[in-house]
Amino acid sequence: MKLQRKNRLRATALGALAVSGALVLTACGSDDNTGADAGGKTSAAASNIKCDGAEGQLRASGSSAQKNAMDLWVKNYMAACSGVEVNYSSSSSGEGIVAFNQGTVGFAGSDSALKPEEVAESKKICKSGQGINLPMVGGPIAVGFNVEGVDSLTLDASTLAKIFDNKIKKWNDPAIAKLNDGVKLPATDIQAFHRSEDSGTTQNLGKYLNAAAPSDWKYEAEKKWPAPGGQAASGSSGVASQVKAVNGSIGYFELSYAKSQDITTVDINTGGAAPVEATSENASKAIAAAKVKGTGKDLALDLDYTTKAEGAYPLVLVTYEVVCDTGNKADTLGTVKSFLTYTASADGQKVLTDAGYAPIPEAINTKVRETVAGLK
């Protein structure tokens, strides 16, 4: 069973890479994929991307959590919209919001909704308007591990909190052993990795631990890593690379990074009937219960991190695109609307599952499309 799971993870990773590779070929002009072929013919998928009003260069930056989704979207979109360049710089949610509020990008990617003070700051850039949150990418925050001889692992919120708070230091700790009956756990030191820069993924992990293990995780859910100890790495890719390389390691990152680097992930014991695996489908079950908490055109979501619903993976994030509701720059507004219309479309959301993400539930995504159409 353990071998089957690793093979399934590897096969899915290869599938995601195949999708990415197909889109690279698209940009080169293959008529078998999205885009135009050498004779100028356009495929059906490309014809669904509306380039009306799009022109020139659009710069955006922020969340590394959505980088792999954004890479697919950008390749697809640029293959369909000749002469338009979309440049998404994957840094961190915090850096993306700073760039947005400085007016240097057309939109920002963030794994956490804007704070009130960030909304207030955005009004200086969004003339006559303000920054709003558009949920665009969902998915599980995978907890990846690398422990020699251990092919599967179940943890709960309490043990995760103690591990990342440097309270559980050995892999054969009784708290871990209790959740993994029959698994031979070594006395190896735990090497816990976290993000070095301000990160929405870090903040979402904190929200989960706050909600599901409040007695064990006493820190505020902030973008900056709050706990002592552990080791830091830059970006989700950096954390994943360290986990891949270091025996005894554990870290958190989006599922797409676990797939691309063939990292085994933790199943989470939610208190439900059975531990839940980090998959796009299981994350979707949790995200589907989200409620819109934003007002007006803002679509920030309230996620239930304590769900015990069967098959619902509770450690999820929703990544937002942050834009001005009104007051967007005239030279990029057309491209922003065109590009985000595609990412929120059925075709745009469909590629997310292949890349290890979870599409935004249709009821919420309908509101996203309506809001994008009304951007000014």
Side-chain angles (χ1 to χ4, degrees):
M1 182 175 179
K2 295 173 183 176
L3 182 59
Q4 288 177 341
R5 180 179 172 190
K6 286 185 73 66
N7 286 341
R8 183 171 69 251
L9 182 63
R10 184 176 294 108
T12 309
L14 291 173
L17 289 173
V19 170
S20 179
L23 292 173
V24 172
L25 290 174
T26 291
C28 297
S30 168
D31 62 355
D32 293 327
N33 301 289
T34 301
D37 64 16
K41 296 178 182 178
T42 303
S43 71
S47 67
N48 292 329
I49 297 177
K50 305 301 182 184
C51 308
D52 300 343
E55 60 181 357
Q57 183 182 61
L58 171 62
R59 295 182 65 246
S61 70
S63 162
S64 66
Q66 62 174 266
K67 177 187 183 299
N68 293 335
M70 193 62 69
D71 285 349
L72 292 173
W73 282 334
V74 167
K75 288 174 184 175
N76 231 6
Y77 181 80
M78 287 174 58
C81 298
S82 177
V84 180
E85 181 180 350
V86 179
N87 184 351
Y88 181 83
S89 174
S90 170
S91 50
S92 68
S93 298
E95 292 173 74
I97 290 172
V98 168
F100 177 76
N101 281 339
Q102 290 176 341
T104 60
V105 294
F107 70 88
S110 177
D111 307 334
S112 295
L114 293 167
K115 295 180 179 180
E117 59 268 28
E118 292 170 337
V119 173
E121 186 72 15
S122 74
K123 293 179 180 180
K124 299 175 183 177
I125 297 299
C126 304
K127 305 301 183 184
S128 74
Q130 66 179 47
I132 58 172
N133 306 282
L134 302 178
M136 201 68 72
V137 183
I141 299 176
V143 179
F145 69 96
N146 177 4
V147 183
E148 188 174 346
V150 179
D151 295 324
S152 66
L153 187 70
T154 296
L155 298 174
D156 58 14
S158 176
T159 55
L160 281 170
K162 291 173 182 176
I163 286 170
F164 283 113
D165 198 20
N166 204 34
K167 298 288 175 45
I168 293 179
K169 302 183 179 182
K170 298 281 187 180
W171 279 110
N172 63 347
D173 187 277
I176 299 177
K178 184 178 180 180
L179 293 165
N180 294 275
D181 187 38
V183 177
K184 187 176 181 180
L185 297 165
T188 306
D189 289 339
I190 294 175
Q191 307 288 333
F193 286 90
H194 58 263
R195 293 280 289 274
S196 60
E197 75 285 8
D198 286 3
S199 160
T201 311
T202 293
Q203 188 171 37
N204 278 276
L205 173 65
K207 289 177 180 178
Y208 164 71
L209 295 176
N210 280 160
S215 62
D216 298 306
W217 190 256
K218 301 295 187 179
Y219 307 101
E220 292 294 324
E222 299 290 348
K223 292 184 176 73
K224 185 176 180 63
W225 181 254
Q231 301 178 61
S234 178
S236 292
S237 59
V239 174
S241 294
Q242 290 297 318
V243 171
K244 178 72 173 178
V246 178
N247 181 40
S249 60
I250 187 170
Y252 59 94
F253 31 78
E254 293 66 45
L255 182 61
S256 60
Y257 292 94
K259 287 182 173 182
S260 64
Q261 298 202 41
D262 196 22
I263 297 171
T264 309
T265 61
V266 169
D267 292 346
I268 292 185
N269 184 332
T270 65
V276 185
E277 185 180 352
T279 68
S280 297
E281 294 76 13
N282 291 344
S284 290
K285 293 175 184 177
I287 295 171
K291 307 294 184 184
V292 175
K293 65 178 180 179
T295 58
K297 295 182 179 179
D298 184 77
L299 298 177
L301 300 179
D302 188 15
L303 298 169
D304 181 9
Y305 296 102
T306 61
T307 180
K308 293 180 175 59
E310 184 177 356
Y313 184 83
L315 181 45
V316 295
L317 62 75
V318 169
T319 291
Y320 301 93
E321 311 310 339
V322 176
V323 296
C324 297
D325 54 0
T326 63
N328 290 278
K329 292 182 178 179
D331 61 342
T332 57
L333 175 59
T335 309
V336 167
K337 292 180 70 170
S338 172
F339 180 69
L340 295 184
T341 294
Y342 163 59
T343 64
S345 71
D347 287 343
Q349 290 290 298
K350 185 177 184 297
V351 304
L352 294 180
T353 301
D354 296 326
Y357 296 98
I360 299 298
E362 184 60 26
I364 297 170
N365 205 30
T366 297
K367 297 178 181 179
V368 173
R369 293 168 189 159
E370 292 172 353
T371 302
V372 170
L375 296 179
K376 298 178 181 178

